[in-house]
Amino acid sequence: MALLEVEDLRTYFKTRSGDVHAVDGVSFSVDRGRTLGIVGESGCGKSVTALSIMGLLVPAARIETGTIRFDGRDLNRLSEHELEDVRGRQIAMIFQDPMTSLNPTLTIGMQLTETMQRHLDLDRGEARKRAAQLLEEVHIPNARQRLDDYPHRYSGGMRQRVMIAIALSCNPKLLIADEPTTALDVTVQAGILDLLEELRDEHEMSMIIITHDMGVVAEAADDIAVMYAGQIVEQASAEALFDQPEHPYTEALLGALPQLEGENVREGRLTAIPGRPPDLLNPPEACRFAPRCPYAGGDSCTQEAPQLREIRPGHLVRSAHPASERAGMPVGASA
Amino acid sequence: MLKFVVRRVLWTIPIILLVIFMTFWMMRAIKGSPFRRSDKAVPPAVLANLNRNFGLDKPWYVQYVRYVKDVSTLNLGPSLVLRDQGVNDIVREHFPVSAELGGLAMLFAAVIGIPLGILSALRVNTWIDYVGQFISNLGFAIPSFFTATLFIYFFGAQWRIFPTNGWDTPSSKVLPVIALGLFPLTYFARLVRGQMLETLQQDYVRTAKAKGLRWRRVVTVHVLRNSLIPAITAAGPILGGLITGSFIIENIFAIPGIGRYYVTSVEGRDYSTVMGITVLLAVLIIIANMFVDIAYGILDPRTRDARS
Amino acid sequence: MAVNPEEVDVRTDVIRHEIAASDWEAGGAIRQASLWRDAWRRFTHNKAAVVSMVFFLVMLLYVIIVPFASPYDPNAVNFNIAYLSPSLHHPFGTDEFGRDLFVRTALGGRISIGIGFAATFAILIIGVLYGSISGFVGGWLDNGLMRFLDALYGLPYLPFAIITLAIFGTVNFWTMVVALTIASWFTTARVMRGQIITLKENDYVRAAHAIGARWHRVLFRHLLPNTLGIAIVFIFLELPNVVLGEAFLSFLGLGINPPNASWGSLAEDGNEQYLSHPLLIVIPSVAIAWLILTAFFVADGLRDALDPRSEAAA
């Protein structure tokens, strides 16, 4: 059985003008020891999905329907009290902006030990010792002294490492990393990704990495789910996805990557995807990607919404015109 | 750390001098010698004598220097009206009353206002919050002379629960303290509520929750600390508000404090008393702000490192 | 301060409905929202702010119109009709001299609010001047002035106002304005300086410079509109303080000389007889409270409306 099974998750935000369907029917699973990458542009619902799993939504948001089965239990049905036991201990999460995600008035050591004292039965001395070990594990030099430093003394990359250390401190089964490298320099990004991989192998942890950067999932993920406008539009193993992308959106995302060498070297402008995502206040009845899709046409795109279907074993796609069914079709054919 | 504190303390000295200077000049600008009253014609020779006695005939810079010297030795000079009392005596007699009134009012305001703010923030947009906000807004808008009057009318005259004059028995202190403390109470409540709401939205609170910490701990350790610390900076204005309020409250409740005495001194052209009290009050504020600064530096590690 | 977390900061993954920028293809109609139109819309959606604005304007209309429209002489003494209860003829009743309180309160309002606006503008100008000079000159001048103001933050205005009035000798409209201005400018200048420095250091100002914009363009296109917003909010915030200050001074007997009356002196009048005729102090007090409350909520609404960071969902 998979470690995490999300089924038909729908999360809506209450606004003055109505409900915004931020996550509209998302299902996926994460097996033990595997890394799932969730990719999509800003606003597609990937972060909200993660926050829904953790139960960390803002008061204006609610999980409308869906089950979130973790280790056999439906997290959606747990009380806040029970969820508090799961967070940090079974599932840990790290966030995008390391500059603001740490409490500036508490020492790093304190922010590490309080988690451990909460979930594991350690006393202060043991917790501190373990905290220093954790800092070493994430490659922070002078760990013991730095325990008593405040966050503002750490650089961005180091703070993110601290966040990772905190997340790992109670040996969670699942780590959710929401845009872990987005706020960091490119040079630091690689280091963080390497660290995550290293730790995942060592601790036999499952991971969900959320990002808008295809390069990050290419490197770090075993399986990938591509999200668009609150729904998953393609899901496959990483190799399968990069080898044979099916959904026009995935193709566009890959096409938008700059290629510096290899057979796909391109000179000239990067391909951008024209248009904007749809308004999730009133999601369209039809395919949500159709307005921006070069292959859109016919009723199956503009009248009905395509369902997520298995086009090959282990490869799901939500499109009326996946790549392998498109032989011979001219671009721009619209009814 | 020590360097920071010392520097901060030293900076108050030139500012106090400046304030004394300003007050000094303002006092001199008030027309009319204290000795020339409309109902008494003082013979010029006696006038000259009195002036000489009080040093009023010397040039202004001499007077100023002499005054500064006096102030630094905590001698606020003689009263120009009460011949047998110096300003020091006057202050010694009346200031403790005002200090007690102000202190109790501040205590009242903090003890009720801060928890009110915290509760409002934690139960935001519920009826608790709305009620709290309503009380806050009333206390903020209704002028204190009106609340004081209302108190006297109901509690004093109609229902006769509390005395409304003077400052001798504990029960006579209840009404003035509440009347004076009402405005700072609303200030505290609103300040704390706003700070808490802002803190609750911070990323690090989300992190704390993600760590699975119990909500009580998240609030007490992560939210409250970071919310209350900025509230300290309001100490200066609150003190100022208390001083202003005390002028009114002492007037209405006939409390022999310094606020009431100030007005009479101005009307009676008692230069030195007015100046003495003004300087005293200004120095109080300056010192309060200094303490706030230092406290802030101690409590918030970011300012400490930035300042030193 | 009226933060509604339900509507604020709907987190990152919710799509915004307007983009204040040029057009895109597809995706439906996109309103081109300028800062002011956006602010106006936000303000009008804030029920509390709109209601308060209406009440504020009602009050202004009252003090402006009633003295013209009223058939009564506010200074006419007629002991036969003293202490009348409110009625159709005298909506607020009459005072101990038989003077109609409806028109006297309106006149008092003219003076109180007039002093309020005058002093508020003066404080605003001084504050902006100070902030601009200090902010732009910088260096030791700014440093010294800033420390001076920091140390005096929260200095009570009453003592200094009283001294200033004593210097003038008489208390009339303008001396009161000057006294309150002198006493209150400290705290404001400090705030203004902070605001101006924030504006000056703002990234978009640097960006404007970076693309070669001349200083006057920077000034008019960027700094002034933002300062204007701050100034408007400030006016509604400071007005109650000043009016209250004048009321306090009058209450202590240091106010405008009769027969001109302000709300404060009306209250002082009423204070002497409130045990027997409470209405005489209730009315001016309620008037003051009315002004303070409405001005405050309007200021709050304006602040929310003008701050583009507060995302009140459309």
Side-chain angles (χ1 to χ4, degrees):
Chain A
M1 188 187 58
L3 179 64
L4 173 72
E5 267 171 25
V6 174
E7 229 177 272
D8 198 36
L9 176 66
R10 288 173 200 270
T11 304
Y12 297 168
F13 281 73
K14 186 158 72 139
T15 69
R16 269 203 264 246
S17 334
D19 281 343
V20 174
H21 297 215
V23 176
D24 220 356
V26 162
S27 309
F28 59 83
S29 62
V30 182
D31 289 322
R32 288 171 210 277
R34 305 267 297 174
T35 299
L36 170 71
I38 304 185
V39 218
E41 55 191 80
S42 297
C44 69
K46 46 195 201 302
S47 283
V48 178
T49 306
L51 291 173
S52 304
I53 296 175
M54 293 284 277
L56 289 176
L57 295 167
V58 292
R62 66 185 188 280
I63 298 181
E64 186 78 356
T65 60
T67 59
I68 305 173
R69 212 165 295 119
F70 179 78
D71 231 8
R73 290 193 301 175
D74 186 1
L75 297 181
N76 200 12
R77 300 233 172 291
L78 294 184
S79 69
E80 184 66 18
H81 204 85
E82 293 166 312
L83 267 181
E84 283 169 0
D85 287 327
V86 171
R87 289 187 208 128
R89 179 75 181 88
Q90 315 275 347
I91 314 181
M93 185 158 173
I94 63 178
F95 300 95
Q96 172 172 344
D97 192 349
M99 305 300 265
T100 54
S101 295
L102 290 169
N103 189 331
T105 59
L106 295 175
T107 61
I108 296 287
M110 162 77 124
Q111 300 191 51
L112 270 166
T113 56
E114 69 175 344
T115 325
M116 292 190 279
Q117 284 180 293
R118 155 83 176 100
H119 291 292
L120 317 167
D121 235 335
L122 303 175
D123 67 43
R124 260 196 35 168
E126 293 166 344
R128 252 184 92 85
K129 212 186 312 178
R130 183 153 158 69
Q133 279 170 355
L134 284 165
L135 284 187
E136 278 166 7
E137 237 187 284
V138 296
H139 308 309
I140 293 195
N142 284 336
R144 190 143 289 253
Q145 287 95 306
R146 307 227 60 174
L147 276 182
D148 295 321
D149 274 341
Y150 288 93
H152 64 266
R153 295 253 180 164
Y154 284 61
S155 72
M158 285 168 67
R159 283 191 225 192
Q160 194 64 303
R161 291 169 189 271
V162 168
M163 293 285 299
I164 295 176
I166 293 179
L168 258 39
S169 59
C170 303
N171 271 324
K173 298 191 179 133
L174 171 67
L175 172 66
I176 305 181
D178 189 358
E179 309 261 18
T181 55
T182 306
L184 302 171
D185 299 336
V186 170
T187 45
V188 178
Q189 278 184 23
I192 296 290
L193 289 177
D194 285 342
L195 177 64
L196 283 175
E197 209 176 306
E198 182 190 321
L199 294 171
R200 188 203 60 179
D201 291 335
E202 250 179 63
H203 293 257
E204 283 172 5
M205 217 170 42
S206 304
M207 246 186 352
I208 299 182
I209 294 195
I210 299 175
T211 177
H212 62 273
D213 189 342
M214 289 296 265
V216 168
V217 286
E219 162 130 5
D222 298 319
D223 305 299
I224 300 181
V226 180
M227 273 188 79
Y228 183 78
Q231 296 176 320
I232 294 187
V233 294
E234 187 164 356
Q235 204 171 336
S237 72
E239 293 118 24
L241 193 87
F242 280 93
D243 229 11
Q244 261 200 305
E246 294 287 345
H247 197 283
Y249 180 60
T250 317
E251 291 177 307
L253 281 180
L254 289 170
L257 287 176
Q259 303 283 356
L260 294 180
E261 54 187 5
E263 48 192 61
N264 285 330
V265 171
R266 259 191 316 254
E267 289 169 355
R269 316 183 88 182
L270 293 174
T271 338
I273 314 176
R276 293 166 70 218
D279 181 351
L280 290 183
L281 193 55
N282 291 310
E285 294 286 315
C287 172
R288 298 184 181 193
F289 187 63
R292 304 167 84 182
C293 181
Y295 309 109
D299 279 352
S300 45
C301 297
T302 53
Q303 303 287 63
E304 335 157 342
Q307 296 302 309
L308 199 58
R309 57 192 169 101
E310 200 165 15
I311 197 171
R312 269 187 299 282
H315 198 137
L316 304 164
V317 68
R318 184 192 298 268
S319 171
H321 304 289
S324 31
E325 292 172 11
R326 235 187 279 140
M329 216 174 106
V331 175
S334 9
Chain B
M1 188 63 220
L2 189 63
K3 214 165 80 137
F4 166 68
V5 174
V6 168
R7 269 178 51 143
R8 200 59 199 80
V9 172
L10 285 182
W11 253 108
T12 60
I13 296 182
I15 294 180
I16 293 181
L17 285 176
L18 193 53
V19 170
I20 297 179
F21 190 73
M22 276 169 41
T23 319
F24 182 75
W25 265 109
M26 289 180 95
M27 289 308 307
R28 285 183 55 85
I30 300 184
K31 303 186 188 67
S33 148
F35 305 121
R36 191 166 306 157
R37 310 241 203 156
S38 44
D39 50 353
K40 270 206 298 218
V42 184
V46 180
L47 194 62
N49 220 354
L50 285 169
N51 277 345
R52 200 178 325 125
N53 251 338
F54 287 106
L56 292 178
D57 53 341
K58 298 252 180 25
W60 65 266
Y61 40 87
V62 176
Q63 289 191 37
Y64 175 64
V65 169
R66 206 179 103 169
Y67 191 73
V68 171
K69 256 198 264 166
D70 285 341
V71 169
S72 48
T73 54
L74 293 182
N75 172 14
L76 293 173
S79 162
L80 295 182
V81 169
L82 302 181
R83 302 302 158 80
D84 51 344
Q85 274 188 317
V87 176
N88 274 31
D89 303 313
I90 297 175
V91 165
R92 208 171 303 139
E93 196 182 312
H94 295 281
F95 186 69
V97 174
S98 297
E100 191 186 346
L101 171 65
L104 287 174
M106 172 81 109
L107 199 61
F108 167 73
V111 163
I112 303 207
I114 295 182
L116 193 63
I118 295 177
L119 195 60
S120 272
L122 289 178
R123 297 267 176 274
V124 68
N125 290 328
T126 60
W127 66 268
I128 294 182
D129 188 20
Y130 289 139
V131 164
Q133 295 253 77
F134 183 72
I135 297 179
S136 250
N137 287 327
L138 276 187
F140 164 75
I142 298 182
S144 54
F145 54 70
F146 189 50
T147 30
T149 312
L150 276 178
F151 279 178
I152 296 186
Y153 185 74
F154 287 114
F155 294 104
Q158 299 281 52
W159 304 333
R160 297 192 182 276
I161 311 181
F162 295 110
T164 60
N165 260 4
W167 188 251
D168 22 11
T169 68
S171 62
S172 70
K173 301 187 184 176
V174 171
L175 288 182
V177 164
I178 298 184
L180 182 60
L182 206 57
F183 185 76
L185 188 154
T186 67
Y187 199 93
F188 273 129
R190 279 129 55 80
L191 190 62
V192 168
R193 179 184 180 277
Q195 285 297 141
M196 283 207 48
L197 285 178
E198 202 180 299
T199 309
L200 282 167
Q201 290 195 40
Q202 294 295 315
D203 281 347
Y204 58 81
V205 172
R206 186 180 56 174
T207 306
K209 285 171 71 170
K211 298 201 290 197
L213 301 176
R214 292 274 175 229
W215 181 236
R216 182 172 311 143
R217 183 183 166 90
V218 174
V219 169
T220 46
V221 172
H222 291 265
V223 178
L224 273 186
R225 271 181 63 134
N226 295 19
S227 307
L228 293 181
I229 292 179
I232 294 180
T233 53
I238 289 187
L239 185 60
L242 281 174
I243 293 178
T244 305
S246 71
F247 279 42
I248 303 282
I249 299 293
E250 286 174 12
N251 180 295
I252 295 183
F253 285 93
I255 295 177
I258 235 177
R260 203 164 83 131
Y261 209 78
Y262 190 85
V263 180
T264 25
S265 302
V266 171
E267 283 168 349
R269 303 243 191 282
D270 189 345
Y271 274 176
S272 44
T273 307
V274 171
M275 198 148 94
I277 300 182
T278 309
V279 167
L280 175 69
L281 294 176
V283 168
L284 261 178
I285 296 275
I286 294 175
I287 294 186
N289 280 333
M290 182 189 78
F291 274 124
V292 163
D293 243 359
I294 294 179
Y296 211 99
I298 296 181
L299 291 170
D300 186 343
R302 287 171 295 182
T303 27
R304 199 193 311 163
D305 289 339
R307 289 285 196 97
S308 62
Chain C
M1 290 225 188
V3 175
N4 183 354
E6 283 221 330
E7 291 165 331
V8 162
D9 198 27
V10 178
R11 285 220 178 252
T12 47
D13 284 349
V14 179
I15 297 173
R16 306 219 175 104
H17 298 279
E18 285 112 40
I19 296 184
S22 48
D23 5 13
W24 287 75
E25 314 144 39
I30 300 168
R31 275 165 280 171
Q32 194 167 9
S34 74
L35 180 64
W36 295 109
R37 209 173 314 165
D38 221 19
W40 176 253
R41 209 181 27 83
R42 266 200 289 259
F43 185 79
T44 44
H45 279 169
N46 183 342
K47 286 176 282 211
V50 171
V51 166
S52 304
M53 185 57 131
V54 168
F55 280 172
F56 185 81
L57 292 174
V58 162
M59 177 188 66
L60 281 185
L61 284 175
Y62 163 69
V63 304
I64 294 177
I65 295 182
V66 167
F68 289 126
S70 166
Y72 301 106
D73 178 353
N75 295 323
V77 173
N78 183 353
F79 289 107
N80 292 332
I81 49 172
Y83 292 129
L84 287 182
S85 294
S87 64
L88 209 52
H89 288 292
H90 299 279
F92 285 176
T94 59
D95 67 1
E96 70 270 27
F97 291 119
R99 302 178 287 197
D100 174 45
L101 279 176
F102 195 61
V103 69
R104 273 184 73 80
T105 311
L107 280 174
R110 281 191 182 185
I111 294 195
S112 288
I113 300 181
I115 292 179
F117 271 121
T120 303
F121 275 119
I123 297 174
L124 177 66
I125 292 177
I126 293 184
V128 170
L129 269 179
Y130 174 89
S132 311
I133 295 178
S134 189
F136 277 102
V137 166
W140 60 265
L141 180 68
D142 176 39
N143 209 359
L145 289 176
M146 181 187 77
R147 289 197 178 270
F148 179 64
L149 288 189
D150 273 350
L152 291 173
Y153 184 53
L155 193 68
Y157 60 86
L158 261 192
F160 284 97
I162 295 178
I163 297 181
T164 313
L165 285 176
I167 292 179
F168 282 120
T170 67
V171 183
N172 58 41
F173 186 95
W174 290 110
T175 57
M176 184 63 92
V177 169
V178 171
L180 288 169
T181 305
I182 290 184
S184 317
W185 73 271
F186 293 112
T187 313
T188 304
R190 183 178 185 262
V191 169
M192 277 299 162
R193 177 193 163 275
Q195 301 274 26
I196 293 191
I197 294 225
T198 313
L199 282 183
K200 193 180 74 140
E201 303 285 313
N202 224 313
D203 279 342
Y204 63 80
V205 174
R206 289 218 196 105
H209 278 304
I211 61 172
R214 296 280 175 110
W215 67 266
H216 44 85
R217 187 175 171 83
V218 172
L219 186 65
F220 286 109
R221 266 301 204 92
H222 299 284
L223 289 179
L224 246 32
N226 278 282
T227 321
L228 196 59
I230 298 173
I232 295 181
V233 174
F234 170 78
I235 289 178
F236 279 95
L237 282 179
E238 187 69 12
L239 185 66
N241 285 338
V242 177
V243 169
L244 199 60
E246 186 276 323
F248 279 172
L249 285 169
S250 301
F251 194 83
L252 291 174
L254 301 168
I256 299 217
N257 303 319
N260 288 324
S262 67
W263 282 340
S265 50
L266 285 175
E268 188 218 0
D269 235 12
N271 188 36
E272 289 160 14
Q273 6 183 2
Y274 71 87
L275 283 175
S276 44
H277 304 279
L279 207 58
L280 292 169
I281 190 175
V282 167
I283 292 176
S285 301
V286 167
I288 295 174
W290 182 290
L291 178 128
I292 295 181
L293 269 176
T294 54
F296 173 71
F297 278 114
V298 168
D300 225 22
L302 282 174
R303 200 177 7 206
D304 283 340
L306 288 171
D307 180 3
R309 278 176 294 132
S310 82
E311 310 166 20

